[in-house]
Amino acid sequence: MTLTPMAAVWKELGGDPELLSGVSTVARAGTLESRLPVRESARACVGACALAAAELGALRAGLARVPEVGVDDGAVATAFVSERHLRIDGRAPVGFAPLSRFWRTADGWVRTHANYPHHRARLLAALGAPDDARAEDMAALLGGRSAREVEESVYAAGGLAVALRTREEWAAHDQGLALAERPLIEWDGPGGRGGPAEPGGTAGGTAGGGPRRLGPLSGGGPLLPAAGVRVLDLTRVIAGPVATRTLALLGADVLRVDGPRLPEDPDAHADTGFGKRSAVLDLESGRRDLDELLASADVVVTGYRPGSLDRFGLSPEALAERRPDLVVAQVSAWGTYGPWGGRRGFDSLVQVATGIAAAEGSPERPGALPAQALDHGTGYLLAAAVLRALAEREGSGRGRVVRLALARTALWLTDGIGHRAGPDAAPDTAAADPGPVPDASAGESYGLPDPWLAERSGPLGVVRHALPPVSFAGGPVDWSRPPGRWGTDPARWA
């Protein structure tokens, strides 16, 4: 019997398969429609995250049974395009920049990413374009060049451009081959590299001190499995911030720390800033403050290009050696291995390289998924892995290192889910389909009142936002606080 998508994810998380019987799904036609099984992937990622949260909550609250988990396709689809639903005092966020798009080349297509000023500058410099280049200028420059040559020259200049590949071409690429050898969720620590610990397994005590545990939850209010957990958030751009936004929903004290010289999109920060605090800290000159944060953190989540934080002692290996009781979660675009392991990347570019854009497009033009599903899906998987590692630590006192990559999630979407799901997939879609709903990926399909959108006032004004899709009996239904202004909180724990 093959595994359903949710069962496959839960197995990679090391969860008890008996708990899957407590998950129910409301399946809705018309959500996240795609040629690839995006709806099934999204449902599995969110459902596994909710189950991991319910499991940890039951463990800490001393419950006899793990609370029931409910997954609603409407809530999931809305959350997977949360950035499109965001409104601040009625204003819609700015989407992709004009130079972030597909371009026809002499032999195919290339996609560029230039949302940030420094990426735009590097792209133009690599192509020999003037600073004020417009779309028509870029089209003329790229139209006579090879897509692969553009990819390499822009990368060499520190910019972002990826040539369109089919799934077969990516499967033969050295980076595609390296990804295929790795699991969807990669673990270090107890249980061995590459896989989770056995369900309920334990390990020895923490080196250099007693075992670190969170202890029981106090009664009253919603069940918050991550209450008392301190999360140092060193992430940017959707996947990592979605993971830490989810941990904040579940009660964690999440402190996002950014460098003072890196630009940040205020709308993106608002969308993923619910429940968090935000500080600016120079990791070099502020080393004492960083050390104080690390000394009492429970979780560190990193989302920068692999290797870029190593000089600050923030590589997963260095953090695990420093604090064996620490849970370290790393998300990257291409993985930490293979010839592209050190490259920058974004969801849109990973879709182009891995064959997704070709599969979703036509002979005339590449396409795209109905959401940045690699980012959002990987974010919920990362949060789920952190929750499972915390549950393990309650018994062992030891932390874990977990790694995920957007490109590995893409491989699961293109080559994994379709082979695992089939007539036996009923446990993931047990509830009757209540009928079609507007596709949340359209962004404007939903207007308040809507069951999966909410409004609240805060430091930024009146914010319309997507409600969290992670749901279990007795759990929270919204974040405890709206997003604040970027970088205005002190770099210390609450």
Side-chain angles (χ1 to χ4, degrees), residues 126-146:
L127 299 176
D131 293 341
D132 59 351
R134 296 172 297 176
E136 52 266 34
D137 302 321
M138 291 284 289
L141 279 170
L142 293 168
R145 301 178 67 170
S146 159

Side-chain angles (χ1 to χ4, degrees), residues 434-448:
V437 296
D439 189 348
S441 66
E444 295 297 335
S445 299
Y446 297 97
L448 289 173

Side-chain angles (χ1 to χ4, degrees), residues 84-468:
R84 300 183 204 170
H85 291 297
L86 181 73
R87 298 291 184 273
I88 301 176
D89 288 336
R91 178 186 61 81
V94 177
F96 282 97
L99 299 188
S100 296
R101 49 167 282 190
F102 282 108
W103 307 91
R104 173 77 79 173
T105 64
D107 58 355
W109 292 88
V110 69
R111 180 151 190 168
T112 56
H113 195 287
N115 283 13
Y116 290 99
H118 58 299
H119 291 156
R120 183 182 190 277
R122 293 168 184 171
L123 171 67
L124 295 176
L127 299 176
D131 293 341
D132 59 351
R134 296 172 297 176
E136 52 266 34
D137 302 321
M138 291 284 289
L141 279 170
L142 293 168
R145 301 178 67 170
S146 159
R148 304 287 177 90
E149 185 272 324
V150 170
E151 177 183 89
E152 290 303 318
S153 61
V154 172
Y155 165 69
L160 291 143
V162 171
L164 180 73
R165 290 174 172 83
T166 64
R167 281 188 281 181
E168 293 75 19
E169 288 171 331
W170 182 246
H173 189 278
D174 286 345
Q175 190 64 29
L177 291 168
L179 285 159
E181 295 177 354
R182 304 293 180 120
L184 175 64
I185 302 170
E186 187 173 2
W187 299 86
D188 291 352
R193 182 175 178 85
E198 292 298 318
T202 61
T206 301
R212 188 178 182 91
R213 297 181 177 88
L214 297 172
L217 293 170
S218 58
L223 179 62
L224 298 174
V229 175
R230 289 175 168 174
V231 179
L232 183 58
D233 180 359
L234 302 174
T235 70
R236 294 167 62 84
V237 193
I238 304 184
V242 163
T244 53
R245 181 181 68 182
T246 303
L247 296 173
L249 168 75
L250 300 171
D253 176 13
V254 178
L255 179 63
R256 174 167 163 171
V257 172
D258 287 277
R261 290 176 290 277
L262 279 176
E264 175 59 4
D265 179 348
D267 291 333
H269 189 266
D271 176 51
T272 58
F274 282 87
K276 307 179 188 179
R277 293 178 299 115
S278 171
V280 172
L281 179 65
D282 187 306
L283 297 183
E284 195 159 4
S285 62
R287 190 55 183 262
R288 178 177 296 181
D289 292 330
L290 176 62
D291 287 343
E292 289 179 0
L293 291 171
L294 290 172
S296 55
D298 294 284
V299 179
V300 176
V301 186
T302 67
Y304 288 76
R305 179 175 54 84
S308 60
L309 296 177
D310 291 4
R311 68 184 186 278
F312 305 113
L314 294 171
S315 70
E317 295 79 8
L319 288 168
E321 183 176 354
R322 173 179 181 150
R323 289 272 312 282
D325 58 341
L326 194 64
V327 174
V328 183
Q330 182 184 41
V331 61
S332 61
W334 308 105
T336 60
Y337 38 77
W340 284 20
R343 291 197 178 193
R344 300 172 178 86
F346 293 91
D347 181 304
S348 58
L349 301 182
V350 175
Q351 290 189 38
V352 174
T354 59
I356 291 175
E360 292 292 326
S362 67
E364 291 75 33
R365 185 174 179 83
L369 298 177
Q372 295 189 69
L374 305 180
D375 263 330
H376 285 272
T378 304
Y380 288 108
L381 288 178
L382 196 69
V386 168
L387 294 166
R388 288 250 58 248
L390 289 171
E392 289 179 10
R393 197 182 72 170
E394 288 299 280
S396 70
R398 293 188 64 86
R400 300 293 302 276
V401 174
V402 60
R403 295 179 173 90
L404 283 97
L406 303 189
R408 185 60 184 84
T409 303
L411 181 61
W412 177 55
L413 179 64
T414 58
D415 297 341
I417 296 177
H419 297 300
R420 290 182 174 127
D424 62 311
D428 280 6
T429 57
D433 190 327
V437 296
D439 189 348
S441 66
E444 295 297 335
S445 299
Y446 297 97
L448 289 173
D450 181 277
W452 304 299
L453 295 177
E455 280 187 348
R456 61 197 306 181
S457 298
L460 302 180
V462 178
V463 180
R464 187 185 85 171
H465 67 283
L467 288 168

Side-chain angles (χ1 to χ4, degrees), residues 458-482:
L460 302 180
V462 178
V463 180
R464 187 185 85 171
H465 67 283
L467 288 168
V470 173
S471 177
F472 54 92
V477 297
D478 202 349
W479 289 272
S480 62
R481 56 195 291 175

